[in-house]
Amino acid sequence: MNDFKILGSEEWCQFDDLRIPAIKARVDSGAKTSSIQASKIKIFNKGLEEWVRFEVNPVQDNRSISILCQAKLVDVRSVKSSQGIAEERPVIKTNINIAGNVYEIELTLANRDTMEYRMLLGREAINGRYLVDPSQSFVQGDISDEDLEQKYQPFTTEKKGLRLGLLASNPNLYSNKRIIEAGEMRGHKVVFLNVEHVYMKLDAATPEIRYRGGNILDKFDAVIPRIKPAVTFYGCALLRQFDTLGVYCLNSADSIGRSRDKLFASQLFSKNDIHIPTTGFAKSPMDTKDLIRMVSGAPLIIKLLESTQGKGVVLAETNKAAESVINAFKSVQTNILVQEFIKEANGHDIRCFVVNGKVVASMQRTAEKGEFRANIHQGGAASKVKITPEERKLAIKSAKVFNLDVAGVDLIRSNKGPLLLEVNSSPGLQGIENTTGKDIANVMIETIEKKLKYKQ
């Protein structure tokens, strides 16, 4: 027993064959196999052998450091993720170095971008060698931030890229952090701009945009809008001003404004032969009963025109309940839509993430038991889904109707085929990146580069 070394709950590892000088691993005796974060995985032939090429971003929260690795392919295994989703993962063998103790282990190549650690050290790698004391960390030696920076100095290159502004309200949101991270990884300077701290000078000769403190914002190549519904009017005004100054906006003010007007959006869908659940709108409470009949009666959905993330959306299960809710909303001068309830969808909808005219990722959202809204913010669960060619075409067409370069398109499967529910001009990244493993923030930055004809 005295021959066993001790590991804490987290330790630093080194992979000389992969040229990785240091990577922080979570020690997990509950996991059988070890895994490492890998992207751009490509299996290729080297003579008569199969090899795998992949990129590793070994330092958490620093995607500017990317190491290209290759190793002989040992196997491809079906592994279940923490969300219970099975996926095929390549397996390699390589030497690991923990505080000078070197031995060979198996590593699965996995997308761990959303995990706290870039590596997981499983029990097969530690059996017969170590005991684990989860109350401690870095028993085999810690690495300071300065030492880590020094180790990765050869992999750090100075890049001169674009200057991008992220126009939003909360810098700590997952989506905003990921976009900044992705932009910086590609060598660009990304500046967070709080919508409410930006103001403008309207003048034919010298129009300006300024930031709190009087700084003139005149050096941006592009602006990425992540405008919350509460500041749509002012946010769109700022985007029009940026456009006046010749700054490219990833989603224009007009596109965002039109997509946020649910009534106008529904009319645009009808005009462009985009099928949606039958929808009704009326001003007078005297028309309530006919409005309900028009959408095939209860159960039906009642939506506030300003609703978002599933808030302000009600399911009325009887005609009487529908009348009561509609008349209550109308009595306080609130604009609402009533919409046919698609029972056969059974609490499922599909979010398609469209970037630059292509569906780059899709997920199915399932409502919580007893809930009809499948939104993640309402407790819905997400899983991978394979969309049909018809659904893909509908998603792309729906984003194009608004001229949106980035859109979250929500569809529902019905007996009449796929129906469009909504188009979101500031779709969140967390749910769909975690579910699909796709680096959507990077795709968004690539789109800006293409629009501006920027070459690294």
Side-chain angles (χ1 to χ4, degrees), residues 327-339:
N327 291 335
F329 277 137
K330 287 187 176 298
S331 69
V332 291
Q333 302 296 304
T334 301
N335 288 318
I336 59 167
L337 293 176
V338 296
Q339 199 167 69

Side-chain angles (χ1 to χ4, degrees), residues 263-331:
L263 179 57
F264 180 48
S266 298
Q267 291 172 321
L268 264 182
F269 298 146
S270 297
K271 182 179 178 181
N272 288 276
D273 196 31
I274 292 174
H275 296 279
I276 62 174
T278 304
T279 302
F281 176 80
K283 181 69 176 168
S284 168
M286 295 172 65
D287 300 314
T288 299
K289 288 185 179 179
D290 191 43
L291 194 64
I292 292 169
R293 281 194 297 271
M294 194 168 68
V295 296
S296 305
L300 56 81
I301 304 293
I302 302 163
K303 291 183 178 181
L304 291 176
L305 282 183
E306 297 80 19
S307 64
T308 181
Q309 295 179 347
K311 298 170 186 173
V313 182
V314 178
L315 172 64
E317 299 197 20
T318 66
N319 285 352
K320 191 169 183 181
E323 282 186 52
S324 299
V325 173
I326 292 168
N327 291 335
F329 277 137
K330 287 187 176 298
S331 69

Side-chain angles (χ1 to χ4, degrees), residues 175-188:
S175 299
N176 296 336
K177 287 166 74 174
R178 280 288 295 112
I179 290 168
I180 292 171
E181 191 180 69
E184 290 178 345
M185 177 191 163
R186 297 185 67 84
H188 307 305

Side-chain angles (χ1 to χ4, degrees), residues 221-237:
D221 297 294
V223 167
I224 305 163
R226 302 284 307 172
I227 300 167
K228 64 182 181 181
V231 292
T232 298
F233 177 80
Y234 189 65
C236 286

Side-chain angles (χ1 to χ4, degrees), residues 200-433:
M200 50 195 154
K201 172 189 171 189
L202 305 175
D203 178 75
T206 56
E208 289 178 351
I209 298 179
R210 298 195 177 209
Y211 202 66
R212 177 169 284 182
N215 295 317
I216 298 174
L217 304 179
D218 61 350
K219 304 288 186 187
F220 288 100
D221 297 294
V223 167
I224 305 163
R226 302 284 307 172
I227 300 167
K228 64 182 181 181
V231 292
T232 298
F233 177 80
Y234 189 65
C236 286
L238 290 173
L239 290 176
R240 283 191 290 272
Q241 188 77 348
F242 274 114
D243 181 64
T244 298
L245 297 174
V247 178
Y248 168 69
C249 300
L250 186 67
N251 283 352
S252 69
D254 288 346
S255 298
I256 293 170
R258 295 199 301 174
S259 70
R260 293 253 166 109
D261 184 338
K262 284 187 169 56
L263 179 57
F264 180 48
S266 298
Q267 291 172 321
L268 264 182
F269 298 146
S270 297
K271 182 179 178 181
N272 288 276
D273 196 31
I274 292 174
H275 296 279
I276 62 174
T278 304
T279 302
F281 176 80
K283 181 69 176 168
S284 168
M286 295 172 65
D287 300 314
T288 299
K289 288 185 179 179
D290 191 43
L291 194 64
I292 292 169
R293 281 194 297 271
M294 194 168 68
V295 296
S296 305
L300 56 81
I301 304 293
I302 302 163
K303 291 183 178 181
L304 291 176
L305 282 183
E306 297 80 19
S307 64
T308 181
Q309 295 179 347
K311 298 170 186 173
V313 182
V314 178
L315 172 64
E317 299 197 20
T318 66
N319 285 352
K320 191 169 183 181
E323 282 186 52
S324 299
V325 173
I326 292 168
N327 291 335
F329 277 137
K330 287 187 176 298
S331 69
V332 291
Q333 302 296 304
T334 301
N335 288 318
I336 59 167
L337 293 176
V338 296
Q339 199 167 69
E340 172 189 15
F341 178 63
I342 308 299
K343 187 177 181 181
E344 62 267 24
N346 198 26
H348 298 290
D349 71 16
I350 295 171
R351 160 62 62 90
C352 297
F353 211 103
V354 180
V355 182
N356 200 22
K358 294 179 182 177
V359 178
V360 296
S362 303
M363 66 176 174
Q364 180 171 268
R365 302 182 298 191
T366 303
E368 244 186 339
K369 190 174 181 182
E371 174 61 72
F372 71 97
R373 294 166 295 184
N375 304 68
I376 305 297
H377 289 86
Q378 299 300 328
S383 58
K384 284 184 180 179
V385 67
K386 186 174 182 180
I387 59 172
T388 66
E390 191 180 4
E391 289 163 348
R392 185 177 300 276
K393 186 178 177 183
L394 176 58
I396 292 168
K397 185 177 181 182
S398 301
K400 192 174 181 181
V401 161
F402 295 113
N403 236 357
L404 288 167
D405 285 328
V406 175
V409 180
D410 297 338
L411 312 176
I412 197 166
R413 289 171 171 170
S414 78
N415 293 335
K416 297 179 283 188
L419 300 175
L420 176 67
L421 290 180
E422 189 174 8
V423 178
N424 190 321
S425 56
S426 292
L429 301 185
Q430 187 168 11
I432 200 153
E433 283 199 340

Side-chain angles (χ1 to χ4, degrees), residues 15 61-62 66 83 97 105 163 180 246 249 318 326 355 364 400 408 428 453:
F15 294 94
D61 297 327
N62 187 349
S66 181
Q83 286 109 5
N97 182 337
I105 67 167
R163 186 171 171 84
I180 292 171
C249 300
T318 66
I326 292 168
V355 182
Q364 180 171 268
K400 192 174 181 181
K453 295 181 171 57

